Amino acid sequence: MGLPFFGETLQLVLQRRKFLQMKRRKYGFVYKTHLFGKPTVRVMGVENVRHILLGEHRLVAVQWPASVRTILGAGCLSNLHDAQHKHRKKVIMRAFSREALEHYIPPIQEEVSACLQQWLLAPGGPNGTGGCLLVYPEVKRLMFRISMRILLGFRPSQAHAQSEQCLVEAFEEMIRNLFSLPLDVPFCGLYKGLRARGIIHAKIEENIRAKLAGKEPTDGYKDVLQLLMEHTQGDGEQLSMQELKESATELLFGGHETTASAATSLIIFLGLHHEVLQKVRKELQEKGLLSKQSQEKHLEMEILEQLKYTGCVVKETLRLSPPIPGGFRVALKTFELNGYQIPKGWNVIYSISDTHEVAELFTDKDEFNPDRFMSPFPEDVSRFSFIPFGGGLRSCVGKEFAKLLLKIFTVELARNCDWQLLNGPPTMKTGPTVYPEDNLPTKFTSFNGQV
C-alpha cells in the first residue's frame, strides 16, 4: 500500500498542537512528507513507535539531518552506532548513577534558589510590586549555569558574568542553526552554527586542559566530563580532544535546552492550575519542607524520592509538553509498518508529542492531571505510551538527571514563589525545543507560607 502524501518543508516554528492535530486527522498515524528535499515518513501511535524504537540497528538507525550531524560532530553519542554507541552510552551512564546524582543535588539547589531570589527582586510591572520578568530567557540562563557546573565543572561567578553571557549567546546561536541547509558559506545557518560552536569548543577545551593538568574539582565532586575522561582512559578508549569537545557540547544541549523547555512548561502549568500547586505544597508540608528552617538545609535524595505527587507533576508536564517533539531515523531496509511500505533510505521521524496525545492509556488527554500518574501503569502498556525521553537503545542517557533537576526546581519554586502569567496561556512553538512564543512575561511574588 502506498503512503498518503503531504508536501511539507521542515518548520522550526510551529503552532504545535493545532498543526499536528490537523495533520493527524487528515493523514492518519503514518504519512509521507519531505524533510530538506528527502522523502520522510512521520510515525505516531504506541504500536507504530514501538516498532520503530525496537527496530534500532535492524530496521532503522539514528540519522539526524546533515546540519545537526555537522554541528554536533561525528564524535558525539547521537552520531555513534552499534558497539561504539553501546560502549560510550555505558560510560556516560556511570556519571548519572544514583551515587553521582546525590552529589549533584546541593549545587542544583543552590543555583535554583539563588535564581528565584533574583526573580523576586526583579523590577516591578505596571502595579509596581516587583518580580516581573520574561521567564523563558531567564530559565535558559539558569539551566545553562547548572549544566556548565554539573556537566563540565565550570562554575561561573560574578567576575565571569560577561564570559557566561557570551557562552549563552553562542549556545543559543548554535541551537538556532542546528536545523539548517547544509551550506557552509558565510551568513548561512550552518556557517553561523559552526562559528558559534567554535566559541563553545574553545571554552570546553580550556576546561579539559585544566582537568588534564590535575586541577581539583571546586565543588567536591567529579563532574560528568571528568568522569567521562577517566572512564574512557581506564577502558582503553582514549578520546581525542575533538571527541571530548563534541561529547561535552552534546551533553550541554541535552542538559540545558531540554530542561529549560520543561521547567518553563512547569511554570506555565502550575501557574494555570493553582490547585495543583497547592497539592505540591501540601506534600512539601507533610515532609517538613515548607518551614523556613527546612529551606536552609540541603535537599537529600531520600526525601526527594518520597515526593511522589511532585514527581507526578513533572511527568504530567512532560506528557503534555515534551521538550523534544520527536526523533530522527533512517530506514536500513524496506519494511512494512501498519500496512504501509517504508522504502530503504527514507527518513523516519517518530513523534513523541502525537504519541502522547493518541495513547489510549490516558483519559481526558488535554487535562493537566498529575494524579493520573499516582497509580503505576502496567509496564507493558505504558512503555511506549509515555516517551518524553525516547525509548529503546537510544533513550536519553541523562533522563534521571533531568527528572531530578526538574523535581528540585519544582520544590524550590513552590516553596518560594507565587506567580501570575501576565499574558495568560501562551502559544507554544518549536525551534527545536518547545517554548512559549511570548517568552512568558510573569510576575513573581514571595510565597507567604500558607497552604
Side-chain angles (χ1 to χ4, degrees):
M1 184 185 298
L3 285 161
F5 179 85
F6 177 66
E8 173 198 51
T9 56
L10 180 67
Q11 298 184 57
L12 295 180
V13 181
L14 304 176
Q15 291 198 17
R16 181 172 168 245
R17 293 176 71 89
K18 290 182 180 179
F19 181 80
L20 294 179
Q21 286 171 353
M22 176 274 291
K23 294 210 296 187
R24 190 170 66 235
R25 284 194 300 269
K26 191 170 183 179
Y27 303 107
F29 286 8
V30 181
Y31 65 85
K32 178 185 175 183
T33 178
H34 274 80
L35 181 68
F36 294 128
K38 288 192 64 176
T40 300
V41 179
R42 187 177 179 88
V43 174
M44 63 200 74
V46 175
E47 290 306 316
N48 293 331
V49 169
R50 181 201 301 268
H51 201 70
I52 295 300
L53 292 178
L54 294 185
E56 190 75 30
H57 304 320
R58 182 171 52 85
L59 300 177
V60 297
V62 68
Q63 181 169 290
W64 291 88
S67 58
V68 178
R69 299 197 302 273
T70 301
I71 291 173
L72 290 184
C76 70
L77 185 67
S78 296
N79 287 332
L80 296 180
H81 295 275
D82 302 319
Q84 270 190 313
H85 174 266
K86 184 178 180 180
H87 178 69
R88 184 75 60 82
K89 182 174 181 177
K90 183 179 178 182
V91 169
I92 294 175
M93 288 291 289
R94 294 172 186 166
F96 297 120
S97 67
R98 190 180 189 280
E99 180 184 6
L101 291 174
E102 284 185 288
H103 290 298
Y104 306 153
I105 294 172
I108 292 173
Q109 185 184 2
E110 178 187 323
E111 292 288 351
V112 172
S113 180
C115 178
L116 294 180
Q117 293 310 310
Q118 288 298 314
W119 291 5
L120 291 170
L121 295 173
N127 297 323
T129 53
C132 182
L133 74 166
L134 295 176
V135 162
Y136 182 56
E138 294 293 329
V139 173
K140 290 219 295 190
R141 278 190 281 272
L142 167 64
M143 295 303 170
F144 190 80
R145 283 197 301 274
I146 291 173
S147 296
M148 287 291 285
R149 185 170 171 181
I150 302 295
L151 301 178
L152 306 187
F154 174 65
R155 184 171 183 175
S157 64
Q158 286 302 113
H160 296 102
Q162 187 174 359
S163 173
E164 178 191 345
Q165 184 59 30
C166 286
L167 282 171
V168 169
E169 290 173 0
F171 205 87
E172 291 185 354
E173 178 75 358
M174 187 187 82
I175 298 302
R176 269 196 302 273
N177 293 289
L178 264 183
F179 294 87
S180 54
L181 292 173
L183 302 173
D184 187 11
V185 295
F187 309 114
C188 285
L190 181 60
Y191 175 85
K192 293 176 183 177
L194 288 171
R195 186 175 59 183
R197 187 195 70 175
I199 296 171
I200 297 161
H201 275 197
K203 186 60 187 179
I204 292 172
E205 181 169 344
E206 179 186 319
N207 225 23
I208 292 170
R209 294 198 182 281
K211 294 179 192 301
L212 291 172
K215 184 179 178 182
E216 291 297 315
T218 56
D219 279 314
Y221 64 87
K222 292 179 179 177
D223 56 79
V224 175
L225 180 58
Q226 181 74 49
L227 291 171
L228 178 62
M229 291 168 63
E230 290 180 3
H231 285 308
T232 53
Q233 290 167 358
D235 289 350
E237 185 202 357
Q238 182 72 49
L239 296 185
S240 68
M241 177 63 75
Q242 184 65 18
E243 288 172 322
L244 283 170
K245 288 189 291 187
E246 289 172 354
S247 293
T249 303
E250 183 182 36
L251 285 169
L252 271 181
F253 172 67
H256 147 249
E257 191 77 10
T258 58
T259 53
S261 171
T264 302
S265 293
L266 274 165
I267 292 173
I268 293 169
F269 287 126
L270 290 175
L272 295 173
H273 299 275
H274 193 257
E275 74 286 356
V276 174
L277 177 58
Q278 288 298 85
K279 287 185 73 170
V280 170
R281 286 171 173 161
K282 285 179 181 176
E283 182 175 63
L284 297 180
Q285 189 177 54
E286 290 168 3
K287 301 297 181 184
L289 295 176
L290 270 192
S291 66
K292 285 293 181 184
Q293 293 85 349
S294 70
Q295 293 188 33
E296 294 171 1
K297 297 178 182 178
H298 283 311
L299 294 169
E300 296 178 353
M301 181 68 80
E302 185 177 353
I303 193 72
L304 286 168
E305 289 173 338
Q306 294 173 20
L307 299 176
K308 300 299 184 184
Y309 185 76
T310 304
C312 291
V313 170
V314 172
K315 285 182 180 179
E316 181 71 340
T317 298
L318 294 173
R319 182 188 73 85
L320 278 171
S321 189
I324 299 289
F328 290 81
R329 299 291 188 270
V330 65
L332 295 175
K333 62 181 181 180
T334 299
F335 66 94
E336 190 174 287
L337 180 66
N338 198 20
Y340 299 113
Q341 191 175 82
I342 299 178
K344 177 181 178 180
W346 280 29
N347 290 328
V348 179
I349 298 178
Y350 72 90
S351 173
I352 294 173
S353 50
D354 279 298
T355 299
H356 286 181
E357 284 192 36
V358 301
E360 294 181 3
L361 181 67
F362 306 119
T363 57
D364 301 317
K365 295 176 178 61
D366 290 334
E367 181 183 341
F368 183 72
N369 176 24
D371 284 290
R372 74 173 80 243
F373 286 101
M374 285 298 282
S375 298
F377 297 112
E379 200 275 340
D380 60 329
V381 175
S382 63
R383 187 176 174 193
F384 294 96
S385 297
F386 180 65
I387 50 170
F389 301 103
L393 297 173
R394 292 277 177 176
S395 62
C396 174
V397 292
K399 63 183 179 182
E400 295 306 321
F401 170 73
K403 288 189 283 189
L404 178 72
L405 170 53
L406 293 170
K407 186 176 271 192
I408 294 171
F409 179 79
T410 305
V411 169
E412 292 299 318
L413 185 68
R415 65 184 187 173
N416 282 285
C417 302
D418 276 312
W419 63 98
Q420 176 189 0
L421 308 181
L422 297 180
N423 290 350
T427 297
M428 301 301 285
K429 292 191 171 182
T430 305
T433 53
V434 175
Y435 70 97
E437 180 182 33
D438 62 358
N439 280 327
L440 204 65
T442 304
K443 186 168 187 174
F444 287 88
T445 54
S446 295
F447 170 53
N448 61 16
Q450 299 299 311
V451 179

